[in-house]
Amino acid sequence: MAYVKLNKNALLHNLEIISKKAGDRDKVALVLKDNAYGHGLLEIASLSKEFGIKRAVVRNLFEAKRVEGFFDYILVLADIPQEITPFHFTINSLEDIAKFPKGSKVELKVDTGMHRSGILPKELKEAFLLIKKQKLDLKGVFTHYRSADELSSELFWQQKNFEDVKNESLRLCKEFGFEKPLFHSCNSAALFRLNEFSDDFARVGIAAYGYLEIDEVFDKPELKPVLSLWAKRISKRELKKGERVGYGGVFEAEKDLVLSTFDVGYADGFFRLDGTQEYVLPKGNKVAGRVSMDSMSVLCDEEEICIIDNAKIPASFFDTITYEILVKLSPFLKREVVS
Ligand SMILES: *Cc1c(COP(=O)(O)O)cnc(C)c1O
């Protein structure tokens, strides 16, 4: 069966670099949403706990419950629970507030310029009033940057907006008798771009997995890819010159060749190749023709083959970002941790 290998040393190496940059392990909240960016939620939760990460960020209650035992702090980005839980839930809009059970721990997401979700800075007071009315436990105030990865001053404009939001929140907390909330704003790109880090922690996803999608002009830390995708041979044949392979027969042997077919396809999350462009696997072997749902054929004579060892290669081939390549990997693939 095709499987995902997780390199423990690479993950620990990345977490070390991230913790240094943030100042401390406690200043890192590891983003584990969407099956830990396709890596495997429980595997990454367990390894990062071993490293000493105490905070996690997930997408929904289902993920939060699965990693409950691993972390002291879990922030859920987009879900509304039916009952009180130990997790922190994000308020993404004013209308959300009345939907949370009384006593829920909540964090207020503020839209400081991304205009995707969160309340507006000018709605802060109204949000505080509604939170008080609903008897929610306000634990944090945070934001998200839209251009931390790009060469522009937008990050600093948004950062300034968040500074204003922090000051106003502190003032409102006094007025409403709430405790000082946790403040956080940085994703991976922002953490590595900013010299000053005055928040309580950063929410780091992609960098932990070994990638950083930032403009080339910025200094990049030496991160190591954690994940690789492997497949096993299900069949082998000798192709005669002129024989064609797979759906549509788009690959034609120019000479006699050995062809091996492996048990990984687009159902496993590797994007479909249509056979019109040459795709070369990490060890230099070429994929022959179209990728099928559950298999692909490769010009090689190996029992086992590495399909992805660096997500940047398929990301650039398919004109997307490493995030998408990783997160599409099927949760049904077996995960194997290696050192
Ligand atoms: C996904 C996400 C992050 C992590 O972003 P990376 O670029 O992977 O570090 C941080 N904060 C929020 C709100 C997110 O949705």
Side-chain angles (χ1 to χ4, degrees), residues 184-199:
H184 46 104
S185 60
C186 292
N187 60 357
S188 300
L191 175 68
F192 283 99
R193 265 192 74 187
L194 297 173
N195 296 321
E196 285 284 305
F197 181 64
S198 61
D199 292 348

Side-chain angles (χ1 to χ4, degrees), residues 138-140 169-170 173-174 177-183 198 200:
L138 181 68
K139 292 290 191 191
S169 299
L170 288 173
C173 280
K174 275 210 184 109
F178 296 165
E179 277 176 31
K180 181 182 171 297
L182 293 165
F183 292 121
S198 61
D200 290 292

Side-chain angles (χ1 to χ4, degrees), residues 3-283:
Y3 65 104
V4 162
K5 248 188 228 180
L6 299 171
N7 184 324
K8 176 176 173 178
N9 290 338
L11 179 69
L12 301 187
H13 165 90
N14 299 338
L15 291 175
E16 189 68 47
I17 291 181
I18 292 161
S19 305
K20 279 221 178 81
K21 179 70 192 171
D24 190 74
R25 289 169 196 209
D26 288 343
K27 297 197 121 196
V28 179
L30 183 61
V31 182
L32 292 173
K33 66 189 179 196
D34 300 294
N35 201 28
Y37 289 40
H39 287 65
L41 181 59
L42 292 181
E43 289 81 1
I44 299 293
S46 163
L47 294 170
S48 57
K49 176 191 158 82
E50 195 183 316
F51 175 83
I53 298 289
K54 299 202 173 65
R55 300 177 186 275
V57 179
V58 297
R59 182 169 176 183
N60 51 36
L61 182 56
F62 173 74
E63 288 181 338
K65 282 184 174 159
R66 289 187 70 205
V67 298
E68 181 169 4
F70 295 99
F71 303 99
D72 299 342
Y73 164 103
I74 298 176
L75 170 65
V76 179
L77 289 173
D79 207 350
I80 297 180
Q82 298 297 312
E83 56 195 14
I84 305 266
T85 73
F87 317 123
H88 292 196
F89 285 85
T90 301
I91 294 173
N92 282 301
S93 70
L94 287 179
E95 301 79 66
D96 268 4
I97 297 174
K99 299 177 194 156
F100 285 98
K102 295 201 179 355
S104 299
K105 295 181 177 138
V106 292
E107 299 202 20
L108 195 52
K109 188 170 189 189
V110 184
D111 173 8
T112 55
M114 190 168 186
H115 305 324
R116 181 177 70 170
S117 57
I119 64 141
L120 296 173
K122 66 172 191 223
E123 295 170 331
L124 267 175
K125 178 147 190 177
E126 193 180 348
F128 272 66
L129 276 166
L130 292 168
I131 288 167
K132 179 129 196 163
K133 190 170 152 223
Q134 190 71 9
K135 299 195 168 58
L136 304 181
D137 187 1
L138 181 68
K139 292 290 191 191
V141 174
F142 75 100
T143 196
H144 194 53
Y145 298 124
R146 73 177 182 195
S147 305
D149 50 344
E150 289 168 10
L151 179 61
S152 79
S153 59
E154 289 209 343
L155 172 62
F156 305 100
W157 157 73
Q158 249 191 294
Q159 202 188 15
K160 168 71 176 68
N161 291 346
F162 189 52
E163 281 306 314
D164 295 344
V165 165
K166 283 184 182 176
N167 290 331
E168 176 69 359
S169 299
L170 288 173
R171 204 188 58 67
L172 287 167
C173 280
K174 275 210 184 109
E175 185 183 328
F176 283 78
F178 296 165
E179 277 176 31
K180 181 182 171 297
L182 293 165
F183 292 121
H184 46 104
S185 60
C186 292
N187 60 357
S188 300
L191 175 68
F192 283 99
R193 265 192 74 187
L194 297 173
N195 296 321
E196 285 284 305
F197 181 64
S198 61
D199 292 348
D200 290 292
F201 55 86
R203 304 181 307 268
V204 177
I206 200 72
Y209 306 109
Y211 302 94
L212 201 55
E213 301 254 349
I214 53 176
D215 195 285
E216 281 166 15
V217 303
F218 302 121
D219 285 343
K220 272 197 192 177
E222 297 281 331
L223 302 167
K224 297 181 182 167
V226 172
L227 173 151
S228 53
L229 174 64
W230 296 75
K232 300 216 164 122
R233 182 156 70 189
I234 46 182
S235 182
K236 165 183 166 175
R237 65 211 55 239
E238 276 161 26
L239 287 183
K240 293 272 169 258
K241 180 172 185 253
E243 284 184 322
R244 298 188 296 142
V245 178
Y247 283 115
V250 291
F251 174 84
E252 181 175 329
E254 288 174 358
K255 54 178 188 203
D256 294 358
L257 289 169
V258 175
L259 182 90
S260 297
T261 296
F262 294 90
D263 62 352
V264 73
Y266 61 80
D268 299 295
F270 186 79
F271 290 15
R272 180 178 171 275
L273 292 159
D274 65 6
T276 56
Q277 267 178 290
E278 185 170 281
Y279 190 90
V280 182
L281 295 177
K283 283 276 165 344

